[in-house]
Amino acid sequence: MLLWLILIIPGSSTGQQNNLHLTRKYKVGDVYRYRMTTNVVHNDKWQSTIIAVCELKVVLDSNKIPYDEIKWISKKVIKAKDSTEYPEEIKNTSPYRISLHPDGKLDIPPIQESGMTGEITDLNTFFVAISPKLGIGQLHKPHDNFTKPENVKGNFANGKDILKGEDCLEVTAVLQRSTRDQAVVQTDFMPPSVPCLQYLSQEMTKPVAGETINNFQMVRVSANDKVNLFYGSEKFNINSTISSKDGKLQSAYMTNTLFLTLKLNCEKDYTGCQHTMPFTIDRKISLVLLP
């Protein structure tokens, strides 16, 4: 009888693993922190490493829906010749809320400090990758996958140094593997098969990276009332490790690659640009739940 029990228990455990439910289960009052480390490379040359820490606290909104209230704690930028911390940017960034609850929202808050745009939007992207809208509730066993029927459009303009910022991606999530304690989900954000942006200028209809459709465009402030124009192909993937118990994100890793054309010092109608050049951006970002 004892041997029979020993043999049958692992079978029961495996059955539980094959019926995962990775939706987030919140505990009001729970407080935890993440460290996000971003390595930035432009045209194959390392530019910086950015280390930022945020604190999340689980709260309820007026409709009793649980949210993570996010407060940024610190930010440090390391470059070849120096490193700088940004206490004023941290101080001036008000706490804001996002939620993985099916009835919650993952809206990007108003950007109060332009220097925090990357941290806020990247953290948001990590959560979007494991959200109900991208099919996390439909991944129950290894190799289950979900492709969002509609393309995902993003707007990362901040009203300050980024005057316009848009991308459009096709998204697929796959449950790679799972154990009793955790699951690994890969979410791929890829250029779509047909155009899905309203391009800012006609020349942007010509693909920058082979035949891949341009799915990224950005306008940044330049000197003397001019603007810089970036456009081309963007793709990224995120590998997320999630607690099987409560759906909390334990760690994640993002690889983000952009093949762009950069037009410098253009008029505000994107004409009369002084220089045009190819421009690549490679970013590798890790997110770790701190003990």
Side-chain angles (χ1 to χ4, degrees):
M1 178 63 76
L2 180 59
L3 177 61
W4 181 83
L5 285 172
I6 291 173
L7 290 173
I8 199 68
I9 288 173
S12 299
S13 175
T14 302
Q16 291 173 359
Q17 292 174 23
N18 287 340
N19 290 281
L20 287 172
H21 297 280
L22 295 174
T23 50
R24 182 74 167 95
K25 302 174 184 66
Y26 288 98
K27 180 182 178 182
V28 175
D30 188 17
V31 177
Y32 51 106
R33 291 186 176 188
Y34 289 107
R35 179 178 63 244
M36 186 163 61
T37 304
T38 305
N39 284 293
V40 182
V41 174
H42 290 171
N43 292 338
D44 298 322
K45 183 177 181 181
W46 175 78
Q47 298 294 309
S48 62
T49 297
I50 306 164
I51 303 171
V53 175
C54 60
E55 181 177 276
L56 289 72
K57 181 178 180 180
V58 179
V59 299
L60 294 178
D61 73 358
S62 58
N63 295 316
K64 306 299 182 183
I65 296 172
Y67 275 79
D68 280 314
E69 186 167 87
I70 300 172
K71 178 175 68 174
W72 288 93
I73 302 297
S74 64
K75 176 182 175 179
K76 182 178 183 180
V77 179
I78 302 168
K79 296 185 177 181
K81 296 183 178 180
D82 58 39
S83 62
T84 307
E85 298 198 23
Y86 292 85
E88 287 303 311
E89 289 184 351
I90 295 295
K91 179 181 177 182
N92 294 335
T93 300
S94 302
Y96 59 95
R97 296 178 177 184
I98 60 175
S99 177
L100 290 172
H101 187 278
D103 296 324
K105 295 181 179 180
L106 284 166
D107 297 344
I108 294 174
I111 304 295
Q112 297 165 292
E113 287 282 347
S114 60
M116 292 298 294
T117 301
E119 286 66 47
I120 291 172
T121 56
D122 286 337
L123 181 66
N124 199 78
T125 300
F126 279 119
F127 277 75
V128 168
I130 58 167
S131 67
K133 290 184 178 180
L134 293 192
I136 193 67
Q138 300 187 41
L139 307 181
H140 304 300
K141 60 184 186 298
H143 311 302
D144 278 358
N145 64 84
F146 173 85
T147 297
K148 187 171 176 59
E150 310 85 13
N151 294 325
V152 175
K153 294 184 179 181
N155 186 330
F156 49 91
N158 61 22
K160 297 177 173 61
D161 60 328
I162 302 177
L163 302 178
K164 294 184 179 180
E166 298 176 310
D167 57 14
C168 183
L169 300 126
E170 181 179 279
V171 186
T172 298
V174 180
L175 177 58
Q176 299 282 13
R177 58 187 182 274
S178 64
T179 67
R180 184 189 300 272
D181 298 320
Q182 62 187 31
V184 176
V185 173
Q186 179 172 317
T187 311
D188 294 320
F189 298 77
M190 304 297 291
S193 57
V194 295
C196 53
L197 291 179
Q198 185 174 349
Y199 295 125
L200 299 174
S201 66
Q202 180 61 32
E203 63 187 332
M204 293 171 62
T205 61
K206 182 179 179 180
V208 170
E211 296 183 0
T212 303
I213 289 170
N214 293 339
N215 65 328
F216 176 97
Q217 59 185 2
M218 177 172 67
V219 180
R220 298 192 68 124
V221 172
S222 186
N224 301 317
D225 210 29
K226 305 283 188 179
V227 298
N228 295 332
L229 179 64
F230 302 73
Y231 63 91
S233 168
E234 177 189 32
K235 64 180 180 180
F236 57 96
N237 62 66
I238 300 175
N239 281 278
S240 307
T241 301
I242 306 166
S243 168
S244 300
K245 177 183 177 181
D246 60 7
K248 181 185 287 187
L249 183 60
Q250 297 179 329
S251 65
Y253 188 77
M254 180 195 304
T255 300
N256 180 206
T257 304
L258 300 96
F259 295 97
L260 307 175
T261 291
L262 167 58
K263 290 182 170 291
L264 294 169
N265 296 323
C266 308
E267 300 296 336
K268 289 186 176 180
D269 63 356
Y270 317 124
T271 63
C273 305
Q274 294 181 6
H275 185 59
T276 300
M277 60 182 285
F279 191 66
T280 62
I281 302 173
D282 288 292
R283 300 190 312 138
K284 292 180 171 56
I285 311 168
S286 65
L287 186 73
V288 179
L289 179 65
L290 297 177

